[in-house]
C-alpha cells in the first residue's frame, strides 16, 4: 500500500510541478529536509558534519517570490542571525514579508543519525508540519533520498522531489560504471563489486594482469561520499618484472597481504572499520589515472519532473587528501578546453537516468589529463544522485543574479548579461577561526565589506556558519566577473578572517539595551 501511494505522489509531481526547482514563482509550499542519510562511518570522517544541514539554506532565497512558503528543518536550532543573513540577500522583498513565509523547525537532536529518521520519531512535530502544508500545493525536497526519506514523505503524504530510492544503485560506484558503459563514456578499467577482502584481492589481481600498465589502484566503497571512502593500493612487493613474472595466484596472495596497508583518504579511517563494510555495501577496484597535468572536472544536470534533461553547470573540482581524492571545493565554470565535452557526456548520463525514472539533480565526476598535443583526455569516474558540493554555490549564483547558464559556451551570465565566475568551498579551515560566533562573522562582514554586492552581483556568500566556532570551519562562495576576480575575492576573505580571528581582544559590541 505504501509503495503504491508513493508512486501516486510521484506521479502528481511529474504532472504538475515541472520547473519548480528553478524558482520561477508560484503559490506553493516547500519542505526542506537537509538530511545526510549516508553511511554513519563515512559521515564520522567529516569535521562538523552536523552543520552540513546548513548547505541547503540557499533555498531561503526562493522566498523572493511573494507567494512561496518554506519550512526548513534541522537537527539543532539555527541561530536567528544566520536566518537573517540569508533573508537580507533577497532582492526587492521586504524582510518581514519573507520572514512571515518561513517556518524554522528543529528536532533538538544533534546525533549523527539521519535527520529524516529523527523526524519520524517525533509524531507531534510531523503533525505540525502536516498542518502547515497545503494539500496539492506542497512538496518535500532533501539532500539525498533513501528509504527513510520515502517513509517520511509517506508519513506527511507529500511528493518527494528526488530520485526514487529504488533507483539508488545508479548513484553508486558500480551503478555509475554500468551507465558509463551503456552510454559509451570513456572510464578507467575496474572490477565488479567484491564483498570480502579475499574476493577483492582476486578481482584486483585479474585487473592488474589484464592492465599491467596501471600505476596503482583506487579502492572504493560502493556508497562512499566525497572521496572519503577511497583508498590507494600501490603495487605489491613482487620480485622481477611485476606483475608478469608472478602468476595470478601469486599476485592475488600479494594483494591480499597488501590490502591492510592501503592508504586511506579519510583522515580517521582504519582497516578494521573499512573491512567491516565490505559485506554491507561492497567494494571495487579501479585503475588510478595518472598524468603530469591532471584536473578533476564535473558536470551537473537536472531531470525535470516531465523527464526533460537539462545540463546546469560544469566545475573544476578542488581536491585534497593524501592522493587528491577528497572534495574540498570547486571553480565555476570548468576550463573552456573541455567544458563542452563535459556537457555532452552529462546530457547522455542524464538521459540514461531519466529513462530509469530519476528526478532532480545529478552530477558526474571526471578526471582530465592533458595529452602531449595539448588536448584533454576525459575519464568518467562516478555519478552522484544527490545535491552535492557544487549544488548550493551554483543555485546561490542563479537565485542572486537572476541569470542563466548558456549551454552554447558553458558560461553563466547575470540578468544584465555580465559573465560570472566563482570559487566555492565547504572547507575553509584555520585554527584562528575557532571561537568566532555567528555574530562575530557578521561584524567582520560589515566592517571589512565582505558582503555580496547586489548592484555589481559580486562578493561573498557564506554558509555553514554554525560550524565556525566549534570546528574553525566555514563554507563560502566568492562570485566575480572573471576567474581572476573570484580568486582575488577568495584570497582576500581568507586572509581577513585569519587576521580577525587572531585578534581575540576584539569583542562584539552589545546592543544598546544591554549596555550599563
Amino acid at each position: 500500500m505504501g509503495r503504491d501511494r508513493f508512486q501516486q505522489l510521484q506521479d502528481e509531481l511529474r504532472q504538475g510541478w515541472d520547473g519548480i526547482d528553478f524558482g520561477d514563482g508560484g503559490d506553493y509550499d516547500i519542505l526542506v529536509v537537509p538530511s545526510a542519510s549516508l553511511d554513519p562511518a563515512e559521515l564520522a570522517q567529516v569535521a562538523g558534519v552536523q552543520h552540513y544541514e546548513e548547505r541547503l539554506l540557499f533555498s531561503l532565497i526562493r522566498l523572493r517570490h511573494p507567494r512561496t512558503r518554506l519550512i526548513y528543518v534541522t537537527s539543532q536550532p539555527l541561530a536567528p542571525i544566520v536566518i537573517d543573513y540569508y533573508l537580507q540577500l533577497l532582492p526587492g522583498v521586504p524582510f518581514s514579508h519573507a520572514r512571515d513565509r518561513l517556518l524554522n523547525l528543529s528536532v533538538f537532536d544533534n546525533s549523527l543519525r539521519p535527520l529524516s529518521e529523527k523526524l519520524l520519531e517525533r509524531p507531534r512535530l510531523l503533525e505540525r508540519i502536516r498542518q502547515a502544508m497545503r494539500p496539492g500545493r506542497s512538496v518535500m525536497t532533501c539532500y539525498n533520498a533513501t528509504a527513510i526519506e520515502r517513509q517520511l514523505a509517506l508519513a506527511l503524504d507529500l511528493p518527494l522531489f528526488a530520485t526514487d530510492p529504488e533507483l539508488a544503485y545508479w548513484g553508486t560506484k558500480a551503478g555509475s560504471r554500468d551507465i558509463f558503459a551503456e552510454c559509451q563514456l570513456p572510464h578507467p578499467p575496474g572490477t565488479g563489486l567484491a564483498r570480502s577482502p579475499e574476493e577483492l584481492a582476486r578481482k584486483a589481481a585479474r585487473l592488474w594482469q589484464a592492465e599491467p600498465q596501471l600505476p596503482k589502484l583506487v579502492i572504493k566503497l560502493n556508497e562512499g561520499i566525497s572521496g572519503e571512502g577511497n583508498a590507494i593500493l600501490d603495487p605489491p612487493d613482487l620480485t622481477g618484472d611485476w606483475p608478469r613474472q608472478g602468476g595470478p595466484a601469486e599476485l592475488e596472495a600479494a594483494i591480499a597481504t597488501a590490502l591492510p596497508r592501503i592508504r586511506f583518504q579519510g583522515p580517521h579511517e582504519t582497516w578494521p572499520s573499512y573491512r567491516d563494510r565490505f559485506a554491507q555495501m561492497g567494494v571495487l577496484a579501479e585503475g588510478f589515472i595518472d598524468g603530469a597535468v591532471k584536473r578533476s572536472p564535473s558536470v551537473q544536470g537536472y531531470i525535470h519532473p516531465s523527464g526533460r534533461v537539462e545540463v546546469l553547470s560544469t566545475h573544476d573540482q578542488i581536491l585534497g587528501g593524501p592522493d587528491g581524492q577528497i572534495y574540498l571545493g570547486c571553480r565555476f565554470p570548468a576550463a573552456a578546453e573541455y567544458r563542452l565535452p563535459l556537457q555532452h557526456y552529462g546530457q547522455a548520463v542524464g538521459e540514461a537516468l531519466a529513462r530509469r525514472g530519476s528526478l532532480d539533480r545529478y552530477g558526474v565526476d571526471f578526471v582530465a589529463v592533458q595529452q602531449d598535443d595539448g588536448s584533454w583526455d576525459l575519464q568518467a569516474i562516478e555519478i552522484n544522485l544527490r545535491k552535492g558540493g557544487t549544488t548550493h554555490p551554483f543555485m546561490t549564483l542563479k537565485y542572486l543574479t537572476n541569470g542563466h547558464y548558456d549551454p552554447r559556451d558553458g558560461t553563466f551570465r547575470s540578468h544584465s548579461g555580465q559573465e560570472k565566475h566563482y570559487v566555492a568551498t565547504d572547507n575553509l579551515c584555520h585554527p584562528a577561526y575557532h571561537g568566532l560566533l555567528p555574530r562575530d562573522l557578521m561584524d567582520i562582514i560589515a566592517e571589512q565589506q565582505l558582503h555580496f554586492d547586489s548592484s555589481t552581483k559580486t562578493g561573498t556568500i557564506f554558509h555553514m556558519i554554525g560550524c565556525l566556532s566549534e570546528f574553525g570551519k566555514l563554507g563560502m562562495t566568492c562570485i566575480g566577473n572573471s576567474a581572476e576576480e573570484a580568486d582575488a575575492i577568495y584570497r582576500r576573505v581568507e586572509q581577513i578572517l585569519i587576521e580577525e580571528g587572531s585578534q581575540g581582544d576584539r569583542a562584539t559590541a552589545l546592543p544598546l539595551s544591554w549596555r550599563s
Side-chain angles (χ1 to χ4, degrees):
M1 180 64 181
R3 179 67 190 170
D4 291 342
R5 180 54 183 159
F6 182 78
Q7 288 301 327
Q8 290 173 3
L9 290 168
Q10 296 306 91
D11 289 342
E12 292 176 13
L13 184 68
R14 294 180 187 280
Q15 293 165 12
W17 293 83
D18 201 43
I20 178 179
D21 202 62
F22 291 95
D24 293 329
D27 186 8
Y28 49 73
D29 300 343
I30 304 171
L31 171 64
V32 182
V33 182
S35 178
S37 300
L38 300 162
D39 177 41
E42 287 292 287
L43 292 178
Q45 302 280 334
V46 182
V49 69
Q50 298 93 330
H51 297 282
Y52 276 60
E53 293 176 357
E54 298 178 32
R55 293 202 302 181
L56 297 193
L57 280 172
F58 74 84
S59 303
L60 271 59
I61 305 175
R62 289 172 170 148
L63 294 169
R64 64 182 182 168
H65 300 290
R67 292 186 302 277
T68 298
R69 304 193 310 171
L70 194 141
I71 300 177
Y72 200 99
V73 187
T74 52
S75 292
Q76 286 288 353
L78 296 171
I81 198 170
V82 173
I83 299 299
D84 293 348
Y85 170 72
Y86 281 93
L87 294 183
Q88 295 288 359
L89 293 171
L90 301 183
V93 179
F95 176 89
S96 59
H97 193 279
R99 194 67 182 85
D100 287 344
R101 292 179 284 113
L102 172 65
L103 179 60
N104 296 122
L105 298 173
S106 171
V107 299
F108 293 89
D109 180 347
N110 208 33
S111 65
L112 281 178
R113 295 181 304 134
L115 172 60
S116 299
E117 182 179 306
K118 301 170 190 175
L119 269 170
L120 286 167
E121 295 171 351
R122 291 161 172 83
R124 287 177 179 266
L125 184 56
L126 287 184
E127 182 59 25
R128 184 179 179 190
I129 295 172
R130 197 179 295 112
Q131 292 294 330
M133 305 198 76
R134 293 168 292 175
R137 309 197 70 84
S138 302
V139 68
M140 172 182 156
T141 184
C142 57
Y143 169 71
N144 70 311
T146 70
I148 304 173
E149 281 68 40
R150 181 172 59 201
Q151 185 179 351
L152 180 59
L154 286 169
L156 294 168
D157 203 36
L158 288 176
L160 175 62
F161 196 43
T163 291
D164 187 335
E166 294 287 332
L167 302 174
Y169 171 76
W170 305 111
T172 66
K173 306 300 185 287
S176 298
R177 293 183 59 83
D178 290 346
I179 286 190
F180 297 155
E182 175 186 322
C183 297
Q184 299 182 338
L185 266 65
H187 57 287
T191 70
L193 280 181
R195 298 287 178 177
S196 68
E198 295 76 18
E199 185 181 9
L200 177 62
R202 184 166 59 254
K203 291 185 173 183
R206 292 174 183 169
L207 174 61
W208 244 326
Q209 287 284 335
E211 305 282 349
Q213 80 285 356
L214 294 176
K216 45 194 169 184
L217 298 183
V218 184
I219 309 301
K220 297 183 175 183
L221 291 174
N222 195 35
E223 300 172 28
I225 57 169
S226 300
E228 300 283 352
N230 291 2
I232 299 298
L233 173 64
D234 291 313
D237 296 326
L238 292 180
T239 58
D241 185 16
W242 182 88
R244 293 184 178 87
Q245 180 176 343
E250 182 183 1
L251 180 56
E252 180 181 333
I255 292 174
T257 301
L259 278 178
R261 301 193 300 273
I262 55 178
R263 193 161 56 253
F264 297 110
Q265 303 303 292
H268 308 296
E269 188 64 83
T270 64
W271 172 246
S273 68
Y274 198 82
R275 179 191 56 208
D276 289 347
R277 280 172 284 164
F278 275 46
Q280 174 191 347
M281 66 174 65
V283 178
L284 57 78
E286 199 170 76
F288 181 88
I289 299 173
D290 213 349
V293 181
K294 185 171 72 169
R295 297 177 185 167
S296 299
S298 65
V299 57
Q300 292 70 43
Y302 179 78
I303 303 172
H304 291 260
S306 64
R308 180 171 63 90
V309 176
E310 181 178 4
V311 171
L312 296 180
S313 60
T314 64
H315 293 81
D316 275 314
Q317 298 180 94
I318 302 169
L319 302 181
D323 296 273
Q325 300 280 308
I326 304 296
Y327 178 83
L328 299 178
C330 61
R331 286 185 170 85
F332 172 86
E337 294 88 345
Y338 44 73
R339 201 182 294 162
L340 297 185
L342 282 176
Q343 289 184 173
H344 174 72
Y345 290 150
Q347 184 75 26
V349 169
E351 290 173 357
L353 292 169
R355 287 193 295 270
R356 289 164 168 81
S358 290
L359 278 176
D360 199 17
R361 281 186 168 65
Y362 67 93
V364 190
D365 295 340
F366 291 80
V367 170
V369 176
Q370 191 171 37
Q371 306 299 292
D372 292 339
D373 61 1
S375 64
W376 291 84
D377 176 55
L378 289 172
Q379 295 285 320
I381 300 299
E382 65 182 67
I383 298 169
N384 294 306
L385 289 180
R386 60 177 183 265
K387 293 177 174 66
T390 56
T391 300
H392 48 282
F394 180 78
M395 296 311 295
T396 299
L397 171 71
K398 184 173 180 66
Y399 288 153
L400 288 180
T401 65
N402 198 26
H404 68 280
Y405 182 77
D406 189 344
R408 293 173 298 181
D409 59 3
T411 60
F412 186 95
R413 298 185 182 277
S414 67
H415 186 66
S416 66
Q418 173 64 54
E419 189 171 319
K420 293 293 176 181
H421 298 251
Y422 62 72
V423 184
T425 183
D426 295 329
N427 291 275
L428 189 67
C429 306
H430 196 277
Y433 303 163
H434 279 277
L436 286 175
L437 303 178
R439 175 61 187 267
D440 297 326
L441 177 63
M442 298 306 156
D443 285 347
I444 295 169
I445 291 172
E447 292 170 3
Q448 300 289 344
Q449 297 185 342
L450 304 183
H451 60 284
F452 178 77
D453 189 330
S454 59
S455 61
T456 64
K457 308 295 185 187
T458 61
T460 303
I461 302 93
F462 295 94
H463 59 275
M464 287 172 52
I465 297 171
C467 199
L468 188 58
S469 179
E470 181 179 357
F471 296 95
K473 183 175 180 178
L474 186 66
M476 66 180 186
T477 302
C478 298
I479 300 173
N481 293 330
S482 66
E484 293 75 17
E485 183 179 18
D487 281 338
I489 292 171
Y490 185 100
R491 290 193 298 270
R492 176 174 179 265
V493 172
E494 184 178 33
Q495 185 59 40
I496 287 174
L497 289 179
I498 293 173
E499 293 172 357
E500 291 285 343
S502 300
Q503 299 177 15
D505 57 337
R506 296 189 60 175
T508 298
L510 291 173
L512 287 173
S513 60
W514 282 79
R515 294 178 186 170
S516 58

